[in-house]
Amino acid sequence: MLGAAGALAVAASVSVAPAASADSSLCNPDCSAAADFKSLGEKLVVHDYESDGYGAVAYIWNNGTYKGYCLNTSGYDAPPVTCDFSFAEGSAVTYKVCNWDGSVAFYCSSTPSPDYA
């Protein structure tokens, strides 16, 4: 009986791990703009890490289809901006982050391999 309980505990811990491992972070080449993807709740958090007059924007795709962006124009001294998306569990999510000059995104990260919602 104790062996079955131990196996159940291990199985439960293994089933929880993939959701946590789907969380990720990336930044543009000089890390002045960064984004975090949180798989629980499908949240994209955008940071502005440099007081350079530019904002930060992250673009997001789900299963290869563009789904929107999250824009942080609050500035270096402000908290990051969090945007909430809704994707099917286990679906592929990719994103990239760029500087934002008010009308154009530039100096972007490369798009990483997919994470999973």
Side-chain angles (χ1 to χ4, degrees):
M1 201 64 150
L2 211 46
L8 183 58
V10 170
S13 67
V14 170
S15 68
V16 173
S21 65
D23 292 352
S24 62
S25 298
L26 62 90
C27 64
N28 68 340
D30 69 354
C31 288
S32 58
D36 308 314
F37 177 71
K38 307 292 183 187
S39 62
L40 183 60
E42 297 92 34
K43 296 188 186 317
L44 196 58
V45 182
V46 179
H47 306 265
D48 181 350
Y49 284 136
E50 191 168 320
S51 181
D52 56 7
Y54 299 119
V57 62
Y59 299 94
I60 192 163
W61 292 262
N62 181 237
N63 290 326
T65 301
Y66 176 71
K67 293 298 184 178
Y69 64 91
C70 187
L71 180 61
N72 181 343
T73 58
S74 301
Y76 171 76
D77 293 328
V81 170
T82 300
C83 298
D84 196 5
F85 293 88
S86 182
F87 306 128
E89 292 300 315
S91 62
V93 175
T94 54
Y95 61 102
K96 70 178 180 180
V97 63
C98 311
N99 286 119
W100 176 255
D101 74 358
S103 60
V104 176
F106 65 98
Y107 207 41
C108 298
S109 64
S110 59
T111 304
S113 298
D115 291 313
Y116 294 92

Coordinates of all heavy atoms in Angstrom, one line a residue, residues 45-51 72-81:
V45 N 4.2 39.2 -19.8 CA 4.7 40.3 -19.0 C 5.8 41.0 -19.7 O 6.8 40.3 -20.1 CB 5.1 39.8 -17.6 CG1 5.6 41.0 -16.8 CG2 4.1 39.0 -16.9
V46 N 5.7 42.3 -20.0 CA 6.6 43.0 -20.8 C 7.3 44.1 -19.9 O 6.7 44.9 -19.2 CB 5.9 43.7 -22.0 CG1 7.0 44.5 -22.8 CG2 5.3 42.7 -22.9
H47 N 8.7 44.0 -19.9 CA 9.5 44.9 -19.1 C 10.3 45.9 -20.0 O 10.8 45.5 -21.1 CB 10.6 44.0 -18.4 CG 10.1 42.9 -17.6 ND1 9.8 43.0 -16.3 CD2 9.7 41.6 -17.9 CE1 9.3 41.8 -15.8 NE2 9.3 41.0 -16.8
D48 N 10.5 47.1 -19.5 CA 11.3 48.1 -20.1 C 12.5 48.2 -19.1 O 12.4 48.8 -18.0 CB 10.6 49.4 -20.2 CG 11.4 50.5 -20.9 OD1 12.6 50.3 -21.1 OD2 10.8 51.5 -21.2
Y49 N 13.7 47.7 -19.5 CA 14.8 47.7 -18.6 C 15.9 48.8 -18.9 O 17.0 48.8 -18.3 CB 15.5 46.4 -18.7 CG 14.8 45.3 -18.0 CD1 14.7 44.0 -18.6 CD2 14.3 45.5 -16.7 CE1 14.0 43.0 -17.9 CE2 13.6 44.4 -16.0 CZ 13.5 43.2 -16.6 OH 12.9 42.2 -16.0
E50 N 15.5 49.8 -19.8 CA 16.5 50.9 -20.0 C 15.8 52.2 -20.1 O 14.8 52.3 -20.8 CB 17.3 50.6 -21.3 CG 18.5 51.5 -21.5 CD 19.4 51.0 -22.6 OE1 19.6 49.8 -22.7 OE2 19.9 51.9 -23.3
S51 N 16.4 53.2 -19.5 CA 15.8 54.5 -19.5 C 16.4 55.2 -20.8 O 17.2 56.1 -20.8 CB 16.3 55.3 -18.3 OG 15.7 56.6 -18.3
N72 N 4.3 48.0 -23.5 CA 4.7 48.7 -22.3 C 5.3 50.1 -22.7 O 6.4 50.1 -23.2 CB 5.7 47.9 -21.5 CG 6.2 48.6 -20.2 OD1 6.0 49.7 -20.0 ND2 6.8 47.8 -19.3
T73 N 4.5 51.1 -22.5 CA 5.0 52.5 -22.7 C 5.1 53.2 -21.4 O 5.2 54.5 -21.4 CB 4.1 53.3 -23.6 OG1 2.7 53.3 -23.1 CG2 4.0 52.6 -25.0
S74 N 5.1 52.5 -20.3 CA 5.1 53.1 -18.9 C 6.4 53.7 -18.5 O 6.6 54.5 -17.7 CB 4.6 52.1 -17.9 OG 3.3 51.6 -18.2
G75 N 7.5 53.2 -19.2 CA 8.8 53.7 -18.9 C 9.6 52.8 -17.9 O 9.1 51.9 -17.3
Y76 N 10.9 53.1 -17.9 CA 11.9 52.3 -17.1 C 11.5 52.2 -15.6 O 11.7 51.2 -15.0 CB 13.2 52.9 -17.3 CG 14.3 52.4 -16.4 CD1 14.9 51.2 -16.7 CD2 14.8 53.1 -15.4 CE1 15.9 50.7 -15.9 CE2 15.8 52.6 -14.5 CZ 16.3 51.4 -14.8 OH 17.3 50.9 -14.0
D77 N 11.0 53.3 -15.0 CA 10.8 53.3 -13.6 C 9.5 52.7 -13.2 O 9.2 52.6 -12.0 CB 10.8 54.8 -13.1 CG 12.2 55.4 -13.2 OD1 13.2 54.6 -13.1 OD2 12.3 56.6 -13.5
A78 N 8.6 52.3 -14.1 CA 7.3 51.8 -13.8 C 7.4 50.3 -13.8 O 8.3 49.6 -14.3 CB 6.3 52.2 -14.9
P79 N 6.4 49.7 -13.1 CA 6.3 48.2 -13.1 C 6.1 47.6 -14.6 O 5.6 48.4 -15.4 CB 5.1 47.9 -12.2 CG 4.5 49.1 -11.9 CD 5.3 50.3 -12.4
P80 N 6.3 46.4 -14.8 CA 6.1 45.8 -16.1 C 4.6 45.8 -16.4 O 3.7 45.9 -15.5 CB 6.6 44.4 -16.0 CG 6.6 44.1 -14.5 CD 6.9 45.4 -13.8
V81 N 4.2 45.6 -17.7 CA 2.8 45.5 -18.1 C 2.5 44.0 -18.3 O 3.3 43.3 -19.0 CB 2.6 46.3 -19.4 CG1 1.2 46.1 -20.0 CG2 2.8 47.8 -19.1

